[in-house]
Short mmCIF file of all heavy atoms in Angstrom, two decimals:
data_model
loop_
_atom_site.label_atom_id
_atom_site.label_comp_id
_atom_site.label_asym_id
_atom_site.label_seq_id
_atom_site.Cartn_x
_atom_site.Cartn_y
_atom_site.Cartn_z
N PHE A 11 -17.13 -33.52 35.03
CA PHE A 11 -16.32 -34.68 34.65
C PHE A 11 -16.91 -35.27 33.39
O PHE A 11 -18.09 -35.62 33.38
CB PHE A 11 -16.31 -35.73 35.77
CG PHE A 11 -15.60 -35.29 37.02
CD1 PHE A 11 -16.31 -35.01 38.17
CD2 PHE A 11 -14.21 -35.17 37.05
CE1 PHE A 11 -15.65 -34.62 39.33
CE2 PHE A 11 -13.55 -34.76 38.21
CZ PHE A 11 -14.28 -34.48 39.34
N LYS A 12 -16.13 -35.36 32.38
CA LYS A 12 -16.55 -35.90 31.08
C LYS A 12 -17.89 -35.29 30.64
O LYS A 12 -18.83 -36.01 30.30
CB LYS A 12 -16.66 -37.43 31.15
CG LYS A 12 -15.30 -38.07 31.42
CD LYS A 12 -15.43 -39.59 31.50
CE LYS A 12 -14.15 -40.21 31.99
NZ LYS A 12 -14.29 -41.04 33.17
N LYS A 14 -20.19 -34.05 32.36
CA LYS A 14 -21.28 -34.10 33.35
C LYS A 14 -20.98 -33.11 34.47
O LYS A 14 -19.96 -33.22 35.17
CB LYS A 14 -21.38 -35.52 33.91
CG LYS A 14 -22.51 -35.71 34.88
CD LYS A 14 -22.58 -37.16 35.36
CE LYS A 14 -23.36 -37.28 36.64
NZ LYS A 14 -22.56 -37.47 37.83
N VAL A 16 -20.85 -31.42 37.90
CA VAL A 16 -20.94 -31.87 39.29
C VAL A 16 -21.13 -30.67 40.22
O VAL A 16 -21.95 -30.70 41.13
CB VAL A 16 -19.68 -32.69 39.68
CG1 VAL A 16 -19.70 -33.02 41.17
CG2 VAL A 16 -19.59 -33.96 38.87
N GLY A 34 -25.45 -33.59 51.60
CA GLY A 34 -25.68 -33.89 50.18
C GLY A 34 -25.71 -35.39 50.00
O GLY A 34 -25.02 -36.12 50.72
N ALA A 35 -26.49 -35.84 49.07
CA ALA A 35 -26.63 -37.27 48.81
C ALA A 35 -25.31 -37.81 48.26
O ALA A 35 -24.42 -37.04 47.88
CB ALA A 35 -27.76 -37.49 47.80
N ASN A 36 -25.20 -39.13 48.20
CA ASN A 36 -24.03 -39.76 47.56
C ASN A 36 -23.91 -39.23 46.14
O ASN A 36 -24.90 -39.13 45.43
CB ASN A 36 -24.19 -41.28 47.49
CG ASN A 36 -24.15 -41.94 48.85
OD1 ASN A 36 -24.99 -42.76 49.18
ND2 ASN A 36 -23.19 -41.58 49.67
N GLY A 37 -22.70 -38.86 45.78
CA GLY A 37 -22.47 -38.40 44.41
C GLY A 37 -22.86 -36.96 44.16
O GLY A 37 -22.82 -36.49 43.02
N SER A 38 -23.23 -36.21 45.23
CA SER A 38 -23.66 -34.83 45.00
C SER A 38 -22.47 -33.88 44.79
O SER A 38 -22.68 -32.72 44.42
CB SER A 38 -24.52 -34.34 46.18
OG SER A 38 -23.79 -34.45 47.37
N GLY A 39 -21.26 -34.35 45.06
CA GLY A 39 -20.10 -33.50 44.78
C GLY A 39 -19.37 -32.99 46.00
O GLY A 39 -18.50 -32.13 45.88
N LYS A 40 -19.68 -33.55 47.18
CA LYS A 40 -19.04 -33.08 48.42
C LYS A 40 -17.52 -33.28 48.38
O LYS A 40 -16.75 -32.37 48.67
CB LYS A 40 -19.64 -33.80 49.63
CG LYS A 40 -21.16 -33.66 49.74
CD LYS A 40 -21.72 -34.38 50.95
CE LYS A 40 -21.53 -35.88 50.99
NZ LYS A 40 -22.26 -36.65 49.95
N SER A 41 -17.11 -34.50 48.00
CA SER A 41 -15.66 -34.77 47.95
C SER A 41 -14.99 -33.91 46.90
O SER A 41 -13.87 -33.43 47.10
CB SER A 41 -15.38 -36.24 47.62
OG SER A 41 -16.06 -37.07 48.48
N THR A 42 -15.66 -33.73 45.78
CA THR A 42 -15.10 -32.90 44.69
C THR A 42 -14.88 -31.48 45.20
O THR A 42 -13.82 -30.88 44.96
CB THR A 42 -16.03 -32.92 43.48
OG1 THR A 42 -16.20 -34.28 43.07
CG2 THR A 42 -15.50 -32.09 42.32
N LEU A 43 -15.85 -30.94 45.92
CA LEU A 43 -15.73 -29.58 46.45
C LEU A 43 -14.55 -29.51 47.43
O LEU A 43 -13.73 -28.57 47.37
CB LEU A 43 -17.03 -29.17 47.14
CG LEU A 43 -17.05 -27.78 47.78
CD1 LEU A 43 -16.75 -26.68 46.76
CD2 LEU A 43 -18.40 -27.52 48.47
N LYS A 45 -11.90 -31.43 47.50
CA LYS A 45 -10.62 -31.56 46.77
C LYS A 45 -10.26 -30.22 46.13
O LYS A 45 -9.07 -29.85 46.07
CB LYS A 45 -10.73 -32.63 45.69
CG LYS A 45 -10.73 -34.03 46.24
CD LYS A 45 -10.84 -35.04 45.11
CE LYS A 45 -11.33 -36.36 45.59
NZ LYS A 45 -11.76 -37.23 44.49
N GLU A 71 -12.57 -38.95 51.32
CA GLU A 71 -12.72 -40.35 50.88
C GLU A 71 -11.95 -41.26 51.82
O GLU A 71 -11.87 -41.02 53.02
CB GLU A 71 -12.30 -40.51 49.42
CG GLU A 71 -13.27 -39.78 48.49
CD GLU A 71 -12.79 -39.73 47.05
OE1 GLU A 71 -11.67 -40.14 46.76
OE2 GLU A 71 -13.59 -39.27 46.23
N ASP A 144 -14.69 -35.19 55.40
CA ASP A 144 -15.68 -35.79 54.50
C ASP A 144 -16.18 -37.09 55.14
O ASP A 144 -15.38 -38.01 55.35
CB ASP A 144 -14.94 -36.08 53.18
CG ASP A 144 -15.84 -36.63 52.09
OD1 ASP A 144 -17.07 -36.59 52.23
OD2 ASP A 144 -15.28 -37.12 51.09
N GLU A 145 -17.45 -37.16 55.46
CA GLU A 145 -18.05 -38.34 56.13
C GLU A 145 -17.18 -38.80 57.32
O GLU A 145 -16.79 -39.97 57.39
CB GLU A 145 -18.22 -39.49 55.13
CG GLU A 145 -19.03 -39.17 53.90
CD GLU A 145 -20.53 -39.05 54.17
OE1 GLU A 145 -20.97 -39.30 55.33
OE2 GLU A 145 -21.28 -38.70 53.24
N ARG A 148 -18.09 -42.10 59.41
CA ARG A 148 -18.25 -43.38 58.72
C ARG A 148 -17.47 -44.48 59.48
O ARG A 148 -16.28 -44.34 59.72
CB ARG A 148 -17.73 -43.24 57.29
CG ARG A 148 -17.83 -44.51 56.48
CD ARG A 148 -17.62 -44.27 55.01
NE ARG A 148 -16.63 -43.25 54.68
CZ ARG A 148 -16.57 -42.63 53.51
NH1 ARG A 148 -17.46 -42.90 52.57
NH2 ARG A 148 -15.64 -41.74 53.28
N HIS A 177 -23.77 -37.15 54.41
CA HIS A 177 -25.14 -37.26 53.88
C HIS A 177 -26.14 -37.42 55.02
O HIS A 177 -27.33 -37.23 54.85
CB HIS A 177 -25.27 -38.38 52.85
CG HIS A 177 -24.92 -39.73 53.37
ND1 HIS A 177 -23.66 -40.24 53.27
CD2 HIS A 177 -25.67 -40.64 54.03
CE1 HIS A 177 -23.65 -41.44 53.85
NE2 HIS A 177 -24.85 -41.70 54.32
N1 ATP B 1 -12.15 -38.09 38.83
C1 ATP B 1 -13.42 -38.26 38.44
N2 ATP B 1 -13.71 -38.64 37.18
C2 ATP B 1 -14.99 -38.80 36.77
N3 ATP B 1 -16.06 -38.62 37.56
C3 ATP B 1 -15.83 -38.24 38.82
C4 ATP B 1 -14.51 -38.04 39.35
N4 ATP B 1 -14.59 -37.66 40.65
C5 ATP B 1 -15.91 -37.63 40.95
N5 ATP B 1 -16.66 -37.98 39.85
C6 ATP B 1 -18.13 -38.00 39.79
O1 ATP B 1 -18.61 -36.80 40.32
C7 ATP B 1 -19.79 -37.02 41.09
C8 ATP B 1 -19.58 -36.45 42.47
O2 ATP B 1 -18.64 -37.26 43.18
P1 ATP B 1 -18.18 -36.92 44.66
O3 ATP B 1 -17.28 -38.04 45.08
O4 ATP B 1 -17.67 -35.54 44.72
O5 ATP B 1 -19.56 -37.00 45.46
P2 ATP B 1 -19.85 -37.12 47.02
O6 ATP B 1 -20.97 -36.21 47.32
O7 ATP B 1 -18.60 -36.94 47.78
O8 ATP B 1 -20.32 -38.62 47.12
P3 ATP B 1 -20.24 -39.67 48.35
O9 ATP B 1 -21.15 -39.18 49.42
O10 ATP B 1 -20.74 -40.92 47.71
O11 ATP B 1 -18.79 -39.75 48.74
C9 ATP B 1 -20.06 -38.51 41.03
O12 ATP B 1 -21.01 -38.74 40.01
C10 ATP B 1 -18.72 -39.10 40.68
O13 ATP B 1 -18.87 -40.30 39.96
#
Side-chain angles (χ1 to χ4, degrees):
F11 292 109
K12 296 180 190 124
K14 183 178 160 256
V16 173
N36 292 131
S38 58
K40 303 180 298 293
S41 307
T42 302
L43 178 59
K45 286 180 201 166
E71 292 172 353
D144 184 13
E145 304 287 356
R148 179 167 36 200
H177 60 267

